[in-house]
Amino acid sequence: QVSMISGAMSLQDFENSVSTLSPDTHVITYCTIGYRSGMEARRLKHTYGLNNVSNLDGIVAYSHALRRVEQQQQQQQQHQGTSNN
């Protein structure tokens, strides 16, 4: 579980609970670079009749994007701190 996003569940856990979901529940799949999760997203749509399945572009891209957002937030906070002085 090295590349686990907080609040995410494993594929096995998901498949154990998929019968409780509405077909319109938003499901997001991901893997390290996005290839396997793209195939899995298609399988989930066809196998379980889910209508709202998205594929995250991989945990690596997600991590880089998240890091950029966090850096921007820190810069804004620093700027606000200096402009308030």
Side-chain angles (χ1 to χ4, degrees), residues 18-84:
V18 71
S19 64
T20 65
L21 299 177
S22 158
D24 294 320
T25 300
H26 191 193
V27 175
I28 301 171
T29 61
Y30 72 93
C31 64
T32 303
I33 59 172
Y35 176 74
R36 289 171 295 143
S37 58
M39 293 188 316
E40 190 60 31
R42 286 187 292 281
R43 188 184 76 80
L44 292 174
K45 288 178 184 179
H46 296 293
T47 302
Y48 297 109
L50 298 171
N51 302 320
N52 197 3
V53 180
S54 303
N55 177 34
L56 187 65
D57 209 16
I59 191 72
V60 172
Y62 170 82
S63 297
H64 289 294
L66 184 60
R67 191 171 307 124
R68 284 191 302 273
V69 168
E70 289 170 343
Q71 289 171 345
Q72 289 173 350
Q73 289 173 339
Q74 288 174 349
Q75 290 171 350
Q76 288 173 349
Q77 290 172 348
Q78 289 172 351
H79 178 71
Q80 289 173 350
T82 57
S83 64
N84 289 336

